[in-house]
Amino acid sequence: SRSDTLFSHSADTSALGTLDFKPIDELDPSLADGYRLMYVREVPFELRTQESSQRPHDVGTLEGVRVKVLVLGEDSHVLSLRLELSSEADLFFHYTCNVNGGGFRQLQEEQKLMCDFKDFGGILLKMLNRCIKEPQSFLAVLILTSDGNAVLEFIQNMEYKFVELLVLPFKESPEYVIRQHISYRYNSLRSRFNMMQAKLQDVNALVKIKNPALLMQLQQRAPYPPAHLS
């Protein structure tokens, strides 16, 4: 009947629909205090270490660092920007830079910046993307000191010289913040895995009804035996 067909189509659509991870993303501690996410990508950084009274080491290690840029306020009236640096290789690596209007004016004066605060976030995003797309010409160097501070330098390779474009101060996040982020990342992965496992069970049940022979082929080709799916 028509109602059976509609029900069957609805079940098919439900089983094959995309997963909604938004409720999980909204629990991200980075979004506390009203901040919203502008940007999140892994960016190649050169990590250098510096003892408090010495020059930074000339050569560092190249690592992928996850960069989040968050904004507080509206696009036309930005109150504050926050940059967060984390690493998939080290769960306890977490540094933060907060820039409000007053802090930006200080950066503007010290580094002769030609942009306004409302445009600063967009410029940061462009510089980060150029470090990804043009790593030979645009470098992001993070200098880590033993006192928990860090400096992020954006540098352009002009072939005949290196030009410093922007320097941002970072601080290692407090232990309780690092714990919050580790807990969120663990719980987020577990929740996503459970949702994907449930979705796989739905698809498995649908294929079993529609085409059992295909299901057997899929299970035989699976790289590992699907648990609780038959």
Side-chain angles (χ1 to χ4, degrees):
S1 69
R2 176 176 172 78
S3 61
D4 292 340
T5 303
L6 288 173
F7 177 78
S8 175
H9 177 71
S10 175
D12 293 359
T13 304
S14 175
L16 299 175
T18 57
L19 293 170
D20 182 13
F21 294 129
K22 188 177 179 181
I24 300 173
D25 296 337
E26 289 174 347
L27 299 175
D28 187 346
S30 298
L31 304 178
D33 303 320
Y35 279 86
R36 54 190 172 86
L37 189 64
M38 282 181 67
Y39 180 92
V40 55
R41 286 191 75 178
E42 186 171 271
V43 182
F45 274 33
E46 184 179 330
L47 303 185
R48 299 181 187 178
T49 57
Q50 176 185 10
E51 299 301 325
S52 55
S53 60
Q54 299 176 349
R55 292 179 62 251
H57 295 160
D58 291 333
V59 179
T61 58
L62 191 64
E63 294 187 23
V65 173
R66 192 167 185 256
V67 182
K68 282 184 183 178
V69 181
L70 302 114
V71 61
L72 181 64
E74 301 301 322
D75 292 340
S76 57
H77 183 59
V78 175
L79 300 175
S80 180
L81 285 170
R82 185 166 73 226
L83 284 84
E84 294 181 357
L85 309 179
S86 59
S87 170
E88 293 298 325
D90 181 0
L91 290 176
F92 293 88
F93 178 95
H94 199 277
Y95 285 80
T96 306
C97 171
N98 291 291
V99 183
N100 58 18
F104 174 75
R105 282 189 292 275
Q106 186 175 347
L107 289 176
Q108 197 176 37
E109 292 172 6
E110 293 174 351
Q111 302 183 39
K112 306 294 188 290
L113 302 180
M114 303 296 290
C115 63
D116 296 323
F117 186 39
K118 64 181 177 63
D119 302 319
F120 187 51
I123 290 171
L124 279 175
L125 268 54
K126 287 180 183 177
M127 294 176 71
L128 290 164
N129 285 333
R130 295 193 81 169
C131 290
I132 296 171
K133 296 174 182 175
E134 305 171 61
Q136 303 301 320
S137 301
F138 290 88
L139 316 173
V141 179
L142 185 66
I143 301 170
L144 306 167
T145 61
S146 55
D147 59 2
N149 292 319
V151 173
L152 177 59
E153 299 180 352
F154 290 98
I155 298 170
Q156 185 175 2
N157 181 357
M158 305 288 289
E159 294 185 1
Y160 56 90
K161 69 181 294 188
F162 289 101
V163 178
E164 190 177 83
L165 302 176
L166 177 67
V167 179
L168 293 174
F170 280 79
K171 283 188 176 294
E172 187 175 19
S173 300
E175 186 178 345
Y176 77 92
V177 172
I178 294 174
R179 273 202 235 107
Q180 284 180 344
H181 282 273
I182 292 174
S183 296
Y184 168 72
R185 289 167 76 175
Y186 173 79
N187 290 325
S188 172
L189 280 172
R190 187 173 63 177
S191 298
R192 288 167 192 263
F193 173 77
N194 290 338
M195 289 175 68
M196 292 177 74
Q197 192 173 46
K199 177 64 69 175
L200 187 57
Q201 289 175 350
D202 290 343
V203 172
N204 186 83
L206 179 62
V207 175
K208 187 174 183 179
I209 294 170
K210 298 280 188 177
N211 193 330
L214 175 60
L215 177 63
M216 291 183 64
Q217 288 181 7
L218 293 173
Q219 290 180 337
Q220 288 170 359
R221 294 176 184 173
Y224 53 87
H228 312 300
L229 294 181
S230 57

